[in-house]
Amino acid sequence: MSAMTRIDYSDGETPLIGHLVRPTGTPRAAVAVFPTFMNITEGVANKARALADAGYTAFVADFYGPESPHDFDSANSAMMRLRADPHAMRTRLRATLTKLGELEPGVPQVAIGFCLGGLAVLELARDGADLELVASFHGLLQTPLPAAQPIKPRILVCHGDVDFLVPRSHVKAFWEEMDAVQANWHFHSYARVDHGFTNPLTPVGEPNPAYNASADRQSWAALMGLLDEVLA
Amino acid sequence: MSAMTRIDYSDGETPLIGHLVRPTGTPRAAVAVFPTFMNITEGVANKARALADAGYTAFVADFYGPESPHDFDSANSAMMRLRADPHAMRTRLRATLTKLGELEPGVPQVAIGFCLGGLAVLELARDGADLELVASFHGLLQTPLPAAQPIKPRILVCHGDVDFLVPRSHVKAFWEEMDAVQANWHFHSYARVDHGFTNPLTPVGEPNPAYNASADRQSWAALMGLLDEVLA
């Protein structure tokens, strides 16, 4: 398994700390990995390592910089501050793609994300990012800045049907928003699966520790399959 | 590639003609393949052969027997006659599983279907069939006999979001029907993909020849992934 390296980067004056893991050979693509609202955790780091094992460079983004949270409440507050200014948030997210482009110049880019990271990759798609694919896992679907231009990347959304943060009304609104700009989306919905289904390490006692081995396995396979297709 | 063999069977007094293809080794499972309303076509036969290549026995069902249609209009009429009596239709569908059980005794069973065949496999699930998995590809989701008992098989539905036969209202009603009996479904919806996305051989000039290579590829991969999981 490849080692993960700390990478310092920044969004304007805000210092950020990313985590990079490279495959053994030439990377098939460079994947920006946007973590949950908790910022990087062992669960997300493991996904980045799995990408490297599959031949991809993976770069785990830092949402918050020096404000990086250490528990549920501070993470929630940090997320609220980040989301309060949607344009500033997009600038923050683009900084990760820029840094990844410096680290892997000329390599096609992809972005995946979990929870807040799922929201992040959809925001990048709406923002016109030059990505081959974005994949959201139990991500939030709503946006204060609906897509108003063609979206380049293919879109994969892997969604727990009973996600307590994403009711079916959000799903329907997302489809309508994406259809209005002719986006090319695949939407996978899993019955009786809640928010956070990809993380086997969710601490007991936190809200909705909803790991679902089948949804985790099948959604990851869907990502691998679409990556093969968009990079063929 | 394995050879396909004609298999005579029956539903009561109605003679039926199935088509069987076996893998080279011991089958991982026995898969009933329910074709489109056109009954067996080269497109569906190719899916059966792909299953055999992947290690599965595949048995293509006959919906109609002596009334088997030869063109769009006669197929449509035959389908209407079949669907006119939902209980008789279920008896017809069960005959295929029974015959498959005789051909591959003791082997776990799965059912997949396309178009009318997608409707068929969901009808079997609703009817209490002892299957490990059912998978519907651009199948019809409505039923005159909604599920009223627990459903054993895992359910995979691969759906073109703009299927002209399956509007979003049917999707929502299906989810609600399945949730009422706590079914374990994965629902994949593909943007701007129409009915019939799995068949590259759809004759030009027929209604909605909507082959979509990406949806075909990804939905088949989803089937392979879930088969691995339910048979592990």
Side-chain angles (χ1 to χ4, degrees):
Chain A
M1 187 169 276
S2 311
M4 191 162 273
T5 309
R6 169 179 166 150
I7 301 284
D8 289 275
Y9 66 118
S10 65
D11 165 27
E13 300 296 304
T14 305
L16 301 168
I17 301 170
H19 290 83
L20 183 75
V21 55
R22 283 196 161 104
T24 46
T26 304
R28 302 183 62 201
V31 184
V33 178
F34 290 88
T36 75
F37 79 120
M38 293 292 289
N39 235 358
I40 190 168
T41 57
E42 197 56 23
V44 166
N46 285 340
K47 297 299 187 190
R49 294 185 188 106
L51 284 166
D53 290 344
Y56 302 95
T57 291
F59 182 47
V60 184
D62 178 0
F63 282 125
Y64 308 118
E67 292 186 285
S68 196
H70 300 291
D71 58 21
F72 184 90
D73 288 339
S74 63
N76 209 45
S77 299
M79 175 175 68
M80 291 303 164
R81 284 193 295 276
L82 183 69
R83 293 180 67 186
D85 182 340
H87 294 284
M89 184 174 77
R90 288 188 177 184
T91 303
R92 176 69 50 89
L93 303 176
R94 283 196 302 267
T96 296
L97 300 186
T98 301
K99 185 66 186 180
L100 183 54
E102 293 168 14
L103 294 165
E104 297 285 17
V107 176
Q109 289 192 347
V110 167
I112 75 169
F114 305 86
C115 165
L116 174 63
L119 177 149
V121 303
L122 295 176
E123 285 299 291
L124 285 166
R126 292 171 174 120
D127 195 50
D130 183 20
L131 298 161
E132 304 302 322
L133 174 71
V134 296
S136 161
F137 300 85
H138 45 85
L140 308 181
L141 302 177
Q142 287 186 308
T143 180
L145 302 169
Q149 59 184 334
I151 283 177
K152 182 197 169 192
R154 295 281 298 268
I155 296 171
L156 172 65
V157 175
C158 297
H159 166 69
D161 178 60
V162 297
D163 190 321
F164 76 109
L165 294 170
V166 187
R168 287 183 185 167
S169 59
H170 293 196
V171 173
K172 180 167 178 286
F174 175 75
W175 291 349
E176 290 168 356
E177 180 204 355
M178 291 293 114
D179 287 348
V181 292
Q182 293 275 295
N184 188 348
W185 50 264
H186 281 195
F187 195 100
H188 295 191
S189 191
Y190 310 122
R192 295 187 285 143
V193 169
D194 204 340
H195 192 72
F197 61 80
T198 59
N199 187 4
L201 305 174
T202 306
V204 173
E206 290 201 359
N208 289 284
Y211 177 62
N212 184 289
S214 176
D216 185 27
R217 182 185 303 116
Q218 299 303 330
S219 61
W220 195 254
L223 171 64
M224 294 292 115
L226 268 178
L227 281 171
D228 284 345
E229 182 174 318
V230 300
L231 300 170
Chain B
M1 186 170 280
S2 311
M4 192 163 273
T5 311
R6 170 180 164 149
I7 301 283
D8 289 274
Y9 66 118
S10 65
D11 165 28
E13 300 296 304
T14 306
L16 301 168
I17 300 171
H19 291 82
L20 184 76
V21 55
R22 282 195 162 105
T24 45
T26 305
R28 301 184 63 201
V31 184
V33 178
F34 290 88
T36 76
F37 79 119
M38 293 291 289
N39 234 358
I40 190 167
T41 58
E42 197 56 21
V44 167
N46 285 341
K47 298 296 187 190
R49 293 184 188 106
L51 284 166
D53 290 344
Y56 302 95
T57 291
F59 182 48
V60 184
D62 178 0
F63 281 125
Y64 308 119
E67 293 185 283
S68 197
H70 300 291
D71 59 20
F72 183 91
D73 288 338
S74 63
N76 209 45
S77 300
M79 175 174 67
M80 292 302 166
R81 283 193 296 275
L82 182 68
R83 293 180 66 186
D85 182 340
H87 294 284
M89 184 174 76
R90 288 188 177 184
T91 303
R92 176 69 51 91
L93 303 175
R94 283 196 302 266
T96 296
L97 300 186
T98 301
K99 186 64 186 178
L100 182 54
E102 294 168 14
L103 294 164
E104 296 288 17
V107 176
Q109 288 192 347
V110 166
I112 76 170
F114 306 87
C115 169
L116 175 63
L119 177 150
V121 303
L122 294 177
E123 285 298 293
L124 285 167
R126 293 171 173 120
D127 195 49
D130 183 20
L131 298 161
E132 305 301 323
L133 174 71
V134 297
S136 161
F137 300 86
H138 45 85
L140 308 181
L141 303 177
Q142 287 186 308
T143 179
L145 303 169
Q149 59 183 335
I151 284 177
K152 182 194 170 194
R154 295 282 298 268
I155 297 171
L156 173 66
V157 175
C158 296
H159 166 70
D161 179 60
V162 298
D163 189 321
F164 76 111
L165 293 170
V166 186
R168 287 183 185 167
S169 59
H170 293 197
V171 172
K172 180 168 178 286
F174 175 73
W175 290 349
E176 290 169 356
E177 180 205 354
M178 290 294 115
D179 287 347
V181 293
Q182 293 276 295
N184 188 348
W185 50 265
H186 281 195
F187 195 100
H188 295 190
S189 191
Y190 310 123
R192 295 187 283 143
V193 170
D194 205 339
H195 193 73
F197 61 80
T198 60
N199 189 5
L201 305 173
T202 306
V204 173
E206 290 202 358
N208 290 283
Y211 176 62
N212 183 288
S214 177
D216 186 26
R217 182 185 303 116
Q218 300 302 332
S219 62
W220 194 254
L223 171 64
M224 294 292 115
L226 268 178
L227 280 171
D228 284 344
E229 182 174 318
V230 301
L231 299 171

